[in-house]
Amino acid sequence: MPLFSKKNYSTVKVRKRDIPDGLWLKCPGCQEIIFKQELDENASVCPKCGHHFQMSRADRIKLLIEDGTFQEWDGDLYSVDTLGFTGTASYTSKLEENRRKTGYHDAISIGRGRMAHHDIGFGVMDFTFLGASMGSVVGEKVTRLIEKSTKARLPVILICASGGARMYEGMFSLMQMAKTSGALARHAEAGLAYIPVLTHPTTAGVMASFATLGDLIVAEPAALIGFAGPRVIKETTQQDLPEGFQRSEFLLKHGLLDMVVPRKQLKQTLVLVLDYLLDKQTAIKAG
Amino acid sequence: MPPYTLPFEKPVLELENKLRELANFSESQKIDVSNEIDRMKKRILDTRRKIYSELTPWQKVQVARHPLRPYTNDYIQRLTKDWIEIHGDRNYRDDRAIIGGFATIDDERVLLIGTQKGRDTKSNLECNFGCAYPEGYRKALRLMKLAAKFRLPIVVLVDTPGAYPGIESEERHIAEAIAVNLREMFTFPVPIIVTIIGEGGSGGALGIGVGDRVLVLEHAYYSVISPEGCAAILWKDRAYADRAAEALKLTSNDLIAMGFADEIIPEPLGGAHGDPETMAETLKTVILRNLKEVKMLSDEQRLQARYNKFRAMGRFAEGGPPAKGAARRAPPLPAAPTPIMAGDTLADQQPPARE
């Protein structure tokens, strides 16, 4: 065998297209290349196939709340590593990394603001921060949102997303389910409206507490929504999952959701629903 | 059911085998070895005591899952009389993983509900290994509403690996069933005494676990996720379950220290399965004492106290980043009361791919 034999493969030089990062995106829905600006102007919905991209908190607030009316509540809550949790990485380092990455302190922002002519308590969860997992801060902020809204007699709209429990906080994470649900019991007793909006993905502990306790439950199209993750279910049951399993449309068909609303119709739908639900005295006149 | 020995109980098993040999020897050879036998019995006791006083969190999880551990039904038989079981959620079916009914404990008439595990294949198929479907939680809710209407205190026994993660569970909305229970359990004015008797498996346990008192058996555990599940996610290997069990702080002592449980109910030496009679007696005494205390409150006081109890659960820092190195190295964070904060980018992190 010759020492310098001819390679039995050849290298093809791929000419990388000279596109600045982040200007164009490939849509996971239709595989088309879309212009980022076009996406931004379209509420982060693919103009070609209607795929709903993830949306930042700031954009969520902009989408639903009138400019300049959002007042943030309790923005200075920080997660702490109570258990001294060290898996493959410590919780402290994970938190630090996510704070740096997102610029936020934790996975949710809450406050009050005006949506058209309705004064509302409003919260938005952020999947980019540790998968919007629910730890003490998320639970506490959801609870404060509901409690303060109960006191101020406000309806609550909460944009939900979550990958599940924040394991690093152990039982503190689990108990947020009870805490938030308890606050919702009082909000409901006060006769106030609560509408969670489920976005991709909303699962586990958040689903088994405040995400499913709405007077109405609204979801964005094609969002993954469920208690256990599809992989866990497949492993546990060894069954093939039905088509469209745990997607918004599947859950609408199976009776959990009241409606699946495309993002661009979300605001007008929510406003109209609140018009129906709210006592005329509590609604604030426009302007 | 044949005897079952946990790996760390082996030294006891060996001593017991020796004891048996000794007894046989004494009998066949007609030699009196009663002194040795007594000594051996004491050694067995000492060994068992030592093992059980030094259990690691992972070993405790194994005790909590011991196949001979008393289950809800065993306690119903031992500590109640005039038991009348009630069936079904009036909607879909009677889930056998959560059982419930009227029971009398000494002089107290209560409504008792609990998750039920099976001891053999047949009973395990019937009650789905203690993993309830949505209808189980809805049945529990129906029964609790009944108790609230007729002013019966509610006694809950929890022993479940978790709610059942299956296709039908999702189709009938297990998450919603649990969530509604959580909310409604804050509204029932009658006393609710919850005891974790074995496994407190996450949302499946909490779904019937909101109470005025939460008691826990000495070797029971209560966790947001199973140690194996946690290990699979954080260590990418289920074999790290022992380390996960430690990290999750799921033992009865941890639960008391962090305020998730109010009282530890001591187990007989060698665990509840070693002496179910004594266990049932202790459990009864502690439940009745707690019930008596909770009954002294008015309805409003009780509901407020229950709310406050769970309201206080959570640890976080407020007003500034948590102390020490962690925060100091972090970049400046956005000021607190800004209406709209610096946005994160779309491309930063996408949720799991849609199929």
Side-chain angles (χ1 to χ4, degrees):
Chain A
M1 196 177 160
L3 194 55
F4 299 101
S5 61
K6 204 180 156 208
K7 282 183 186 165
N8 54 3
Y9 57 88
S10 58
T11 330
V12 182
K13 251 192 139 179
V14 182
R15 212 154 48 92
K16 236 186 136 189
R17 285 174 67 187
D18 193 21
I19 317 170
D21 255 4
L23 208 54
W24 295 86
L25 288 163
K26 192 172 170 187
C27 173
C30 59
Q31 313 298 323
E32 295 274 331
I33 304 290
I34 37 177
F35 192 34
K36 173 126 185 343
Q37 196 188 331
E38 202 182 343
L39 192 67
D40 289 345
E41 285 162 6
N42 202 39
S44 299
V45 176
C46 173
K48 287 166 181 138
C49 72
H51 173 86
H52 282 52
F53 283 77
Q54 209 173 35
M55 206 177 189
S56 75
R57 304 182 209 206
D59 287 343
R60 285 277 178 201
I61 294 170
K62 227 183 285 172
L63 182 76
L64 296 177
I65 306 293
E66 306 312 315
D67 274 352
T69 67
F70 186 68
Q71 265 178 281
E72 198 190 356
W73 286 337
D74 303 297
D76 55 351
L77 259 54
Y78 293 78
S79 294
V80 289
D81 185 12
T82 310
L83 304 188
F85 205 108
T86 39
T88 40
S90 79
Y91 183 33
T92 309
S93 65
K94 280 267 172 201
L95 282 171
E96 221 179 295
E97 181 193 320
N98 278 273
R99 283 179 190 138
R100 189 176 303 131
K101 187 180 77 178
T102 62
Y104 291 100
H105 307 170
D106 215 290
I108 187 170
S109 295
I110 57 162
R112 70 180 286 171
R114 199 145 37 78
M115 184 176 72
H117 46 282
H118 294 290
D119 233 352
I120 61 168
F122 183 72
V124 50
M125 299 183 75
D126 180 354
F127 193 80
T128 61
F129 194 104
L130 269 172
S133 51
M134 177 155 64
S136 294
V137 168
V138 169
E140 179 70 20
K141 286 178 87 168
V142 169
T143 307
R144 288 191 190 183
L145 168 67
I146 299 159
E147 282 180 342
K148 288 181 178 183
S149 300
T150 308
K151 213 169 164 197
R153 297 204 56 82
L154 295 174
V156 172
I157 290 188
L158 183 49
I159 310 293
C160 298
S162 184
R166 194 165 294 175
M167 266 179 290
Y168 303 98
E169 293 190 26
M171 282 292 285
F172 285 102
S173 171
L174 184 70
M175 288 303 157
Q176 304 312 310
M177 292 166 60
K179 186 162 109 181
T180 52
S181 303
L184 279 172
R186 296 187 160 194
H187 190 256
E189 270 166 16
L192 300 165
Y194 166 57
I195 304 175
V197 178
L198 315 188
T199 67
H200 181 69
T202 302
T203 59
V206 165
M207 260 309 269
S209 58
F210 57 86
T212 44
L213 291 176
D215 294 300
L216 295 172
I217 309 175
V218 176
E220 288 194 335
L224 177 75
I225 294 167
F227 180 62
R231 197 164 41 91
V232 173
I233 296 171
K234 222 169 167 175
E235 276 171 19
T236 315
T237 63
Q238 304 292 326
Q239 276 177 283
D240 286 328
L241 305 180
E243 201 176 319
F245 184 59
Q246 291 187 318
R247 297 290 166 176
S248 307
E249 297 70 17
F250 180 90
L251 290 161
L252 181 71
K253 211 171 93 184
H254 281 84
L256 179 73
L257 303 174
D258 291 282
M259 53 190 105
V260 175
V261 183
R263 195 176 283 160
K264 292 184 82 179
Q265 276 108 61
L266 188 60
K267 183 175 176 179
Q268 66 192 73
T269 309
L270 290 173
V271 169
L272 188 56
V273 166
L274 287 187
D275 284 344
Y276 276 107
L277 294 182
L278 293 188
D279 186 32
K280 286 178 187 71
Q281 291 153 353
T282 59
I284 292 166
K285 289 267 148 49
Chain B
M1 191 152 189
Y4 179 92
T5 313
L6 295 166
F8 53 84
E9 287 182 312
K10 267 230 172 87
V12 175
L13 186 73
E14 277 162 18
L15 287 172
E16 277 173 344
N17 286 341
K18 270 189 202 159
L19 179 68
R20 213 168 301 123
E21 274 168 34
L22 203 61
N24 287 343
F25 172 78
S26 144
E27 204 163 294
S28 61
Q29 305 294 316
K30 310 265 189 274
I31 302 172
D32 182 21
V33 285
S34 54
N35 275 347
E36 279 82 66
I37 287 182
D38 284 350
R39 228 178 306 134
M40 189 68 87
K41 278 184 179 162
K42 190 175 175 304
R43 249 183 89 193
I44 291 174
L45 199 69
D46 289 345
T47 312
R48 200 188 291 276
R49 187 169 290 137
K50 187 167 177 335
I51 290 172
Y52 270 83
S53 65
E54 294 169 353
L55 290 181
T56 66
W58 177 233
Q59 287 171 337
K60 285 196 173 229
V61 170
Q62 289 167 280
V63 175
R65 292 174 180 168
H66 197 290
L68 292 176
R69 195 173 172 84
Y71 299 147
T72 295
N73 235 330
D74 301 304
Y75 290 120
I76 290 172
Q77 281 168 25
R78 287 196 166 88
L79 62 80
T80 75
K81 50 182 193 266
D82 298 339
W83 165 250
I84 293 185
E85 190 175 352
I86 310 171
H87 296 270
D89 70 339
R90 295 241 178 113
N91 190 21
Y92 188 74
R93 66 172 190 132
D94 183 38
D95 190 338
R96 304 302 300 149
I98 293 184
I99 55 175
F102 302 120
T104 309
I105 308 176
D106 278 359
D107 298 328
E108 284 288 347
R109 290 194 161 159
V110 303
L111 182 117
L112 190 149
I113 53 178
T115 41
Q116 178 64 35
K117 290 183 185 172
R119 293 226 186 269
D120 49 34
T121 312
K122 185 170 168 273
S123 58
N124 262 321
L125 283 177
E126 187 184 314
C127 67
N128 200 29
F129 300 85
C131 298
Y133 282 88
E135 47 272 23
Y137 293 95
R138 292 182 180 129
K139 167 178 162 183
L141 181 68
R142 181 173 85 83
L143 267 53
M144 290 189 284
K145 281 184 175 167
L146 192 66
K149 181 176 175 188
F150 295 100
R151 303 291 307 174
L152 287 167
I154 299 167
V155 171
V156 183
L157 302 180
V158 178
D159 186 13
T160 175
Y164 185 62
I167 294 171
E168 302 91 336
S169 273
E170 298 285 336
E171 284 176 342
R172 298 197 287 275
H173 318 308
I174 184 95
E176 192 262 0
I178 290 173
V180 169
N181 281 15
L182 295 180
R183 183 184 64 198
E184 296 305 310
M185 288 183 89
F186 281 99
T187 67
F188 300 135
V190 294
I192 306 178
I193 309 290
V194 177
T195 310
I196 314 292
I197 58 168
E199 295 190 82
S202 195
L206 184 60
I208 50 169
V210 176
D212 303 302
R213 293 289 158 85
V214 178
L215 316 171
V216 57
L217 294 203
E218 188 181 349
H219 302 307
Y221 80 91
Y222 198 174
S223 178
V224 67
I225 185 170
S226 72
E228 294 95 325
C230 179
I233 295 172
L234 291 187
W235 282 268
K236 315 276 178 230
D237 187 351
R238 296 173 88 86
Y240 285 91
D242 55 339
R243 291 184 51 189
E246 211 155 296
L248 285 165
K249 302 272 191 290
L250 45 66
T251 68
S252 55
N253 281 323
D254 294 323
L255 296 171
I256 291 282
M258 296 185 298
F260 301 123
D262 300 292
E263 186 173 340
I264 296 176
I265 306 177
E267 296 192 18
L269 183 63
H273 58 280
D275 187 354
E277 289 298 335
T278 309
M279 187 69 253
E281 200 51 46
T282 318
L283 178 63
K284 181 167 102 174
T285 312
V286 179
I287 287 177
L288 285 177
R289 173 164 45 74
N290 277 280
L291 186 55
K292 202 172 155 195
E293 288 165 14
V294 173
K295 271 176 100 173
M296 305 215 301
L297 303 173
S298 71
D299 284 3
E300 290 85 65
Q301 284 171 329
R302 199 155 39 232
L303 286 173
Q304 188 60 48
R306 195 183 301 159
Y307 187 84
N308 294 347
K309 176 184 173 64
F310 286 88
R311 179 67 187 85
M313 290 178 188
R315 287 203 190 154
F316 50 87
E318 190 162 8
K324 284 189 226 142
R328 235 180 301 140
R329 287 195 301 278
L333 295 156
T338 36
I340 293 168
M341 295 180 279
D344 32 7
T345 58
L346 265 177
D348 203 20
Q349 187 184 342
Q350 289 295 335
R354 295 163 202 233
E355 282 122 42

